[in-house]
Amino acid sequence: MIPVPRLLSFTTALALGAIALPAQAQHTGHGASGLAAQAPAGPGVYELASDGKGSLFVAFAGSRDKPGGGLITYDAATLKEKKRVALGAAAPYGMGINTRTGILYTTNTRAGNITAIEAATGKIVATITDPAEANAHLFRVLVDEASNTVYASVTGGRIWVIDGKTNTLSRILENIGATTVGLALDPAANQLYAANMGHNQVAVIDLKTGRVTRRINTDGKRSSMLALDAEAARLFVSNQESGDVSVIDLKENKVIKTIPAGEGALGLVFVPQQGRVYVANRQAGTVSVIDAKSLSKVADVPVAGYPNTAFVDATGAVFVTSKLKTPKDGQPAGDLVVRMSAPAPVP
């Protein structure tokens, strides 16, 4: 993360409504990040997005016994809650935003559709469905702002392609693989990458033809989420069951290294400003920090609860959502959104 966002002091976090962190949670390793601030979220917190104007959006889906999802808007610098928008049975999971149009997209896994929302007002402008599949198990959503195109993974091995101008389904990419979940986009190469958890493979898709051009084995188990370092032509893949991160060389189309992360490695992001990868380890209760150049882990940062999703905004600030069913180590009950602090430089 090399321009580094300004950090919150302990007293500033209290004054602005963020929850202060206990000393043991502020652990950092050599060259690693720690925790700057955290705030209540959820219930059923999942993915995040940013409008590039200082607002952070967090999706929550409620629970099965207490359904009712929505969006929470925070001040990205302070994690002070600004407002909530209820989306009811839509129960959003994945989230992406086109900062040029101001439209936010949520995948609603239980409802089998996607909601397009005005980020500034919370007004729903469209509900996008596939008439042929009422119960589509949607997962990740990714926005290409330049072309105003939205991509959403369906675990049945498909990818929805949405025209952001009309907010309608324009085509469906088929035969992507078994249990398609994570996505990554390389606009310069006009390629989309999809993680197929059922086959532990990454499908490489030519967006001109809509076809899979090659499949790359991850050498991991339950390969889930993706992060692209386009400049180095490397793709990072989180593997939930094996608790590690596969590094794929996209020129050689093979794994060049497997980096231990933590049990339940799930959400991950590559931060070009820092040259680091952050991995949310759900069962381990940590966020691993990986140096993207040396391909080595520099630290594990403890996070209360079960870290689920990692997100980086345009400034290089990293956020993590975490599920916390019961209080631990002095932390409050309920799900959390956490802002990581700036890393110390690696010599």
Side-chain angles (χ1 to χ4, degrees), residues 14-102:
L14 282 174
L16 293 171
I19 299 170
L21 302 167
Q24 64 266 30
Q26 300 185 40
H27 167 79
T28 58
H30 180 68
S33 166
L35 305 183
Q38 65 186 33
V45 67
Y46 284 105
E47 297 204 347
L48 311 95
S50 169
D51 64 358
K53 300 175 183 177
S55 289
L56 178 74
F57 305 96
V58 178
F60 67 94
S63 62
R64 295 194 180 277
D65 58 336
K66 293 183 179 180
L71 299 175
I72 309 172
T73 305
Y74 296 92
D75 181 290
T78 66
L79 290 188
K80 181 179 180 180
E81 184 174 325
K82 295 161 75 172
K83 67 178 178 181
R84 293 192 179 212
V85 175
L87 295 175
Y93 170 83
M95 187 157 52
I97 190 172
N98 188 326
T99 61
R100 298 182 182 184
T101 64

Side-chain angles (χ1 to χ4, degrees), residues 111-342:
N113 57 33
I114 290 175
T115 305
I117 305 166
E118 287 183 350
T121 65
K123 178 184 176 182
I124 296 175
V125 298
T127 300
I128 304 158
T129 61
D130 175 8
E133 188 180 11
N135 298 314
H137 196 278
L138 292 146
F139 197 83
R140 190 83 167 86
V141 64
L142 198 61
V143 178
D144 180 5
E145 293 190 342
S147 66
N148 200 6
T149 304
V150 182
Y151 301 95
S153 59
V154 182
T155 58
R158 292 174 297 284
I159 294 173
W160 288 11
V161 183
I162 295 165
D163 182 339
K165 185 176 181 180
T166 61
N167 287 317
T168 57
L169 189 60
S170 61
R171 62 173 173 163
I172 297 177
L173 309 182
E174 303 278 1
N175 303 314
I176 304 303
T179 317
T180 303
V181 283
L183 299 174
L185 177 69
D186 186 347
N190 203 29
Q191 290 187 149
L192 185 68
Y193 302 96
N196 293 315
M197 188 168 63
H199 286 155
N200 296 314
Q201 290 180 336
V202 171
V204 183
I205 303 156
D206 183 325
L207 289 175
K208 183 177 181 180
T209 65
R211 296 179 179 176
V212 175
T213 59
R214 59 192 188 275
R215 300 180 187 275
I216 306 170
N217 292 329
T218 65
D219 298 342
K221 295 180 180 179
R222 290 181 63 81
S223 302
S224 301
M225 303 300 279
L226 304 176
L228 176 67
D229 179 355
E231 186 175 343
R234 288 174 174 171
L235 188 68
F236 297 88
V237 187
S238 65
N239 302 304
Q240 288 187 66
E241 187 175 334
S242 48
D244 49 31
V245 173
S246 302
V247 185
I248 294 174
D249 186 312
L250 294 171
K251 295 177 181 177
E252 299 183 12
N253 295 316
K254 68 178 184 180
V255 173
I256 56 172
K257 189 166 184 180
T258 299
I259 306 168
E263 186 180 359
L266 184 54
L268 82 166
V269 290
F270 168 63
V271 186
Q273 297 97 322
Q274 294 182 5
R276 285 179 171 83
V277 175
Y278 288 73
V279 189
N281 303 311
R282 188 177 169 90
Q283 274 69 50
T286 60
V287 174
S288 294
V289 185
I290 294 169
D291 184 280
K293 185 175 181 180
S294 66
L295 302 182
S296 59
K297 182 167 68 173
V298 295
D300 287 313
V301 181
V303 173
Y306 306 92
N308 189 75
T309 303
F311 171 76
V312 58
D313 70 12
T315 71
V318 176
F319 302 87
V320 173
T321 58
S322 184
K323 295 178 179 294
L324 186 58
K325 303 298 183 184
T326 56
K328 293 182 179 181
D329 300 325
Q331 300 293 323
D335 294 347
L336 303 171
V337 57
V338 174
R339 177 175 170 135
M340 308 297 291
S341 67

